[in-house]
Amino acid sequence: MVVRREKKSRKMRGSRTMGWGIRGQHRDRGSQGGRQIGMHKEKWSWLVKYGEGWYGKHGFRNPTTKLTSAISLRKLNELLVNGSIKIKETDGKKIVDLNELGYDKLLGGGSINVPVTIKVSKATNRAIQKVKQIGGEVILSPTE
């Protein structure tokens, strides 16, 4: 069967403007959908209700930046006390592997109460000192 390329419509064929009015004749794009003209005119009420942040610049995220997920000693201590993070015991040592938990860096804010061995890829000097004062240690192991 042959595909019909054009609409089989003979309506308004003798009427010069075919129903599109005296002046415009289907020229302007006024109140169509999408992000075009008319959002400050015909669709203003829609814009006020739903289109927050429609106008203006909206920032740029640099694709070369590397995001690191860090955890402070204060938050780590909180999670250990709650039982959210389980402490593994091997050879009589209490070990917490932050690499497995999805953290890249240990920060020195706050303090920790439990002497544990912490495995993490990066740590600040202050965090390492605070953990050593309690009797634990920080093992810096790069993530594979």
Side-chain angles (χ1 to χ4, degrees):
M1 189 169 132
V2 178
V3 177
R4 184 179 292 118
R5 296 285 173 213
E6 293 181 64
K7 197 164 69 162
K8 188 178 178 183
S9 173
R10 305 301 301 158
K11 293 178 184 173
M12 303 187 127
R13 277 300 174 206
S15 71
R16 180 177 185 275
T17 57
M18 290 189 255
W20 292 109
I22 280 178
R23 287 177 193 87
Q25 284 96 37
H26 198 43
R27 286 197 171 103
D28 292 334
R29 294 172 63 185
S31 69
Q32 288 181 344
R35 278 180 101 116
Q36 302 128 342
I37 61 169
M39 296 313 284
H40 209 79
K41 296 173 184 171
E42 290 97 353
K43 296 196 172 203
W44 180 250
S45 58
W46 180 92
L47 189 94
V48 168
K49 192 171 181 183
Y50 304 112
E52 186 181 338
W54 186 274
Y55 290 110
K57 297 180 180 181
H58 301 292
F60 173 76
R61 189 189 66 80
N62 191 341
T64 60
T65 55
K66 292 179 179 146
L67 299 174
T68 58
S69 59
I71 186 170
S72 64
L73 286 174
R74 181 182 299 110
K75 185 69 178 174
L76 180 64
N77 187 50
E78 204 176 286
L79 293 174
L80 288 172
V81 170
N82 289 347
S84 302
I85 294 179
K86 303 288 188 250
I87 299 174
K88 296 177 187 172
E89 293 224 14
T90 53
D91 301 331
K93 285 185 176 180
K94 296 178 180 177
I95 295 177
V96 175
D97 195 349
L98 292 180
N99 293 331
E100 283 181 7
L101 298 169
Y103 294 106
D104 301 325
K105 191 169 185 177
L106 181 66
L107 304 176
S111 61
I112 191 167
N113 301 336
V114 188
V116 289
T117 301
I118 302 170
K119 288 184 180 178
V120 68
S121 56
K122 294 177 188 171
T124 60
N125 290 333
R126 198 164 162 207
I128 294 170
Q129 287 173 358
K130 285 184 179 183
V131 173
K132 281 184 183 175
Q133 280 178 359
I134 277 193
E137 68 171 317
V138 176
I139 299 172
L140 299 176
S141 58
T143 56
E144 278 79 32

